[in-house]
Amino acid sequence: MLYPILPIFLTQTLHASGSVVGLVDGIAQATQNIVQGFSGWLSDRLQKRKPIALVGYFLAAIAKPLIGLATAWPMVLGARFGDRLGAGFRSAPRAALVASSVAEEHRGKAFGLEGIGDNLGAFLGPLLAVLLLVSLNVDIRWIFYLALIPGLLAFLMVLLVREQQLAVSAKATLDVNLRRFPKAYWTYLLVTALFGIGNSSNAFLILQTKDIGASLEATILIYAGFNLVAALISYPAGLLSDRFGRKGVLLASFTIFLIAYVGFAVIRNIYLIGLLFAFYGLYQGIFRSVGKAFASDFVPQQLRASSIGWYSSTVGLLELMASLVAGQLWDRVSHEAVFVYGAIFAVVGCVGLLALIPWQTNRHRASTAS
């Protein structure tokens, strides 16, 4: 409900600049991902997933209405920080629950199934926002207030989850966990970082869509279509990565990102931009499910939450850097420069993935290592 209207709320209601949009969303997404490193370690140390996830869901739910109360962009930044802090706190333990709930050979499909749910919510939420804004003439601030309801419902649903006790115990200190990660895992994080340098917030794609002439309603609907495509591809992508290996499927997502960013730099037709945004959803669905599954392939079971957490931290840190750069490019150079910048590092990421990551990983051996 919130994501497609947040950059428009910042720029049109609060009259913030593109740099502020990059700062707010960059810090928010970085917070979500960086906190996963800590929550993943804490989950591994305590051998508890569900209680930590519950805390995160509750914090994210109660922070969302605070955005609607904002009268200046720093207030949005504070509320959005709290929202994404909760989201980050829940994500790694939730991912570890997913990874441990299925057999090794089905892990990609499991993350794909999780991706379907997450992206379907991101598809239905914007449709609900359009219904409220257009059909019922609800003020834009009330969208943030009403977001409390699905947030609390998600919290209640997690209460129904049954957590299995792990058969192994994790080490108690963060430093030991970091040293236990194999070299191949750190190489994968390096490739992720190379690609992520240019992977700025999707808020800039939303602003570009609005900037070329799309109405608020059309922009939200286009974003909903993007998430629908991401939802539909998530499970097939996970299935393909289980069957044929993660590297090729992940490389396809990098390539889709590259094509989409080049398109956003040169296309000015609203209909073509809408199609391109939907095409970009393929990247979102593949990267989200396969990227995390790949990160968990390199480590033993007792470090799985930490591996996904530090992977997500890497993604978040680089997205913050990319969004700050993109904000400056948006305000000081041109809107097109944001997407040229992203495309360049997509090429770098593709080269790194091809050169540094083997086509086959030892994920079956990693799962049974002590």
Side-chain angles (χ1 to χ4, degrees):
M1 291 173 65
L2 305 188
Y3 195 84
I5 66 172
L6 184 59
I8 298 169
F9 177 70
L10 280 167
T11 55
Q12 296 190 0
T13 302
L14 301 182
H15 307 291
S17 65
S19 296
V20 168
V21 172
L23 176 67
V24 170
D25 206 59
I27 288 178
Q29 296 303 323
T31 298
Q32 176 180 350
N33 288 305
I34 292 170
V35 167
Q36 290 186 58
F38 170 76
S39 67
W41 161 75
L42 183 63
S43 174
D44 283 338
R45 178 181 179 180
L46 299 179
Q47 298 292 278
K48 296 291 184 182
R49 316 299 194 197
K50 179 178 172 179
I52 299 173
L54 281 170
V55 171
Y57 272 101
F58 184 74
L59 178 59
I62 63 175
K64 288 178 174 65
L66 300 179
I67 302 175
L69 297 173
T71 56
W73 70 262
M75 297 174 66
V76 175
L77 175 60
R80 183 73 170 146
F81 173 82
D83 171 31
R84 294 299 88 185
L85 179 66
F89 206 69
R90 76 189 180 212
S91 294
R94 182 185 67 182
L97 282 170
V98 172
S100 62
S101 66
V102 296
E104 189 75 30
E105 62 270 20
H106 300 305
R107 188 184 300 154
K109 294 193 290 291
F111 280 108
L113 187 61
E114 181 211 17
I116 289 177
D118 206 32
N119 287 304
L120 273 179
F123 165 67
L124 296 173
L127 296 184
L128 180 57
V130 169
L131 175 65
L132 293 170
L133 289 170
V134 179
S135 299
L136 302 180
N137 295 315
V138 172
D139 184 81
I140 193 171
R141 292 182 182 273
W142 270 93
I143 305 298
F144 299 99
Y145 304 150
L146 293 172
L148 174 67
I149 298 173
L152 291 179
L153 287 175
F155 170 81
L156 294 175
M157 289 296 294
V158 178
L159 288 174
L160 303 177
V161 173
R162 292 183 178 181
E163 179 179 357
Q164 295 180 347
Q165 184 67 34
L166 293 180
V168 293
S169 58
K171 294 296 182 179
T173 65
L174 186 60
D175 289 341
V176 171
N177 277 358
L178 289 175
R179 287 196 296 268
R180 292 189 70 195
F181 290 141
K183 180 181 178 181
Y185 174 78
W186 294 113
T187 303
Y188 177 62
L189 290 195
L190 173 62
V191 171
T192 301
L194 291 173
F195 172 75
I197 293 174
N199 188 5
S200 58
S201 166
N202 289 343
F204 291 103
L205 282 79
I206 295 172
L207 288 179
Q208 181 75 338
T209 303
K210 187 76 170 60
D211 190 64
I212 65 173
S215 65
L216 173 60
E217 296 81 9
T219 300
I220 296 174
L221 290 174
I222 288 171
Y223 181 77
F226 151 78
N227 282 300
L228 176 60
V229 172
L232 293 175
I233 195 61
S234 293
Y235 187 81
L239 176 63
L240 288 173
S241 74
D242 283 338
R243 184 168 299 177
F244 301 109
R246 316 274 192 232
K247 178 176 176 177
V249 181
L250 192 62
L251 180 63
S253 75
F254 284 13
T255 305
I256 292 167
F257 179 97
L258 170 62
I259 295 171
Y261 262 54
V262 170
F264 265 86
V266 300
I267 293 175
R268 290 295 173 272
N269 181 280
I270 294 175
Y271 299 103
L272 291 179
I273 281 291
L275 291 174
L276 189 65
F277 215 143
F279 174 73
Y280 180 71
L282 295 174
Y283 153 76
Q284 178 81 1
I286 296 171
F287 183 77
R288 188 189 182 284
S289 57
V290 177
K292 288 193 294 185
F294 210 176
S296 67
D297 284 344
F298 297 101
V299 300
Q301 180 180 344
Q302 66 267 28
L303 296 177
R304 195 161 288 156
S306 293
S307 72
I308 297 171
W310 289 120
Y311 163 78
S312 298
S313 296
T314 301
V315 172
L317 265 178
L318 272 298
E319 183 174 342
L320 171 59
M321 293 173 56
S323 296
L324 293 176
V325 172
Q328 293 299 312
L329 292 173
W330 183 275
D331 288 338
R332 300 176 183 274
V333 181
S334 70
H335 297 178
E336 295 75 21
V338 173
F339 306 105
V340 173
Y341 166 74
I344 290 172
F345 281 99
V347 173
V348 175
C350 288
V351 173
L353 184 62
L354 285 169
L356 300 176
I357 303 298
W359 285 100
Q360 297 294 330
T361 66
N362 61 342
R363 62 179 185 269
H364 297 288
R365 189 169 73 246
S367 68
T368 57
S370 59

